[in-house]
């Protein structure tokens, strides 16, 4: 069987995984976008909900639908465990304020981003999903950088030309950054998943009586 048919088979098996990963990311991104509550505790709860579903998708679907590549499967399983652990930490740390929110997101983003990026780099020229893994891994590491670069004591009084009253603080900025990250990754996951689905070419059936390859 040719490499193109084998590649097609991998795509046919794996394409639902990124689409399923997009669902919790899109839902939480929409909730953040249309919610006026950008408190750190609320952000932890929303992130925890996202991480539970994303971790389960990776654990139950990603690890079983990957091609027979032991290293990629192990990496995906480790990423799933880390994501689920981050969900537990998010729920457990709710109520500890902004420092807990920053710590949970940064640790999650550094670990899972590094795992997914490394997985993609190792699988270059070997897997049709390598570019997807590298892109999501890089975006997740950028989330960690953005959180680390935002001063926890940031506070800006709104008013003047904005015609908006209130205070823009670090909590609002960071929860917004989380929502933006989830929105971007959701769109990318959907595009990647559907691209793999539509790019799948079924092997041509042999005519009756003709020998199969």
């Amino acid at each position: 069987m040719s490499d193109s048919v084998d590649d097609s088979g991998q795509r046919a098996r794996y394409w639902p995984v990124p689409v399923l990963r997009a669902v919790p990311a899109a839902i939480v991104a929409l909730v953040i976008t249309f919610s006026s509550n950008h408190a750190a505790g609320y952000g932890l709860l929303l992130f925890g909900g996202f991480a539970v579903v994303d971790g389960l998708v990776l654990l139950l679907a990603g690890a079983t639908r990957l091609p027979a590549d032991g290293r990629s499967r192990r990496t995906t399983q480790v990423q799933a465990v880390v994501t689920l652990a981050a969900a537990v930490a998010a729920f457990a740390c709710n109520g500890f304020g902004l420092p807990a929110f920053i710590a949970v997101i940064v640790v999650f983003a550094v670990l899972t981003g590094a795992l997914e990026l490394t997985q993609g780099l190792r699988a270059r020229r070997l897997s049709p999903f390598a570019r997807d893994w590298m892109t999501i891994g890089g975006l997740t590491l950028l989330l960690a950088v953005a959180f680390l670069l935002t001063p926890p004591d940031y506070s800006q009084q709104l008013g003047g030309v904005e015609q908006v009253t209130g205070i823009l603080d670090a909590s609002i900025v960071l929860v917004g950054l989380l929502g933006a990250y989830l929105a971007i990754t959701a769109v990318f996951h959907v595009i990647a998943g559907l691209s793999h689905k539509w790019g799948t070419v079924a092997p041509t059936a042999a005519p009756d009586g003709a020998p199969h390859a």
Side-chain angles (χ1 to χ4, degrees):
M1 184 176 290
S2 67
D3 289 342
S4 61
V5 173
D6 180 65
D7 180 79
S8 178
Q10 291 183 44
R11 292 174 185 269
R13 254 181 91 77
Y14 189 73
W15 76 263
V17 176
V19 174
L20 288 173
R21 293 186 69 187
V23 174
I27 291 174
V28 174
L30 286 172
V31 172
I32 290 175
T33 299
F34 293 105
S35 174
S36 59
N37 184 356
H38 280 56
Y42 189 57
L44 276 172
L45 289 176
L46 292 176
F47 169 76
F50 153 77
V52 166
V53 180
D54 191 57
L56 290 176
V57 169
L58 289 171
L59 189 64
L60 302 177
T64 58
R65 287 181 172 269
L66 280 170
D69 174 0
R71 177 177 288 182
S72 290
R73 287 190 175 184
R74 286 192 297 271
T75 302
T76 300
Q77 289 168 342
V78 172
Q79 184 182 343
V81 171
V82 172
T83 303
L84 291 171
V88 172
F91 293 132
C93 293
N94 184 37
F96 289 93
L98 186 61
F101 179 56
I102 295 174
V104 169
I105 300 299
V106 168
V107 171
F108 159 81
V110 169
L111 293 179
T112 62
L115 283 168
E116 199 154 8
L117 178 61
T118 302
Q119 182 179 11
L121 290 172
R122 282 199 308 250
R124 283 182 303 176
R125 302 177 185 175
L126 299 175
S127 172
F129 318 117
R131 186 175 62 176
D132 303 346
W133 294 332
M134 287 188 291
T135 302
I136 296 299
L139 287 171
T140 307
L141 288 173
L142 284 177
L143 175 68
V145 172
F147 264 63
L148 290 172
L149 291 179
T150 302
D153 58 350
Y154 176 82
S155 180
Q156 178 68 44
Q157 181 70 44
L158 298 177
V161 295
E162 297 98 341
Q163 299 297 315
V164 177
T165 59
I167 296 176
L168 178 66
D169 60 15
S171 177
I172 296 173
V173 171
L174 293 175
V175 173
L177 284 173
L178 176 62
Y181 160 79
L182 292 174
I184 293 170
T185 55
V187 171
F188 181 85
H189 278 314
V190 170
I191 293 173
L194 295 181
S195 295
H196 291 309
K197 175 178 170 60
W198 294 332
T200 298
V201 180
T204 303
D208 291 341
H212 291 271

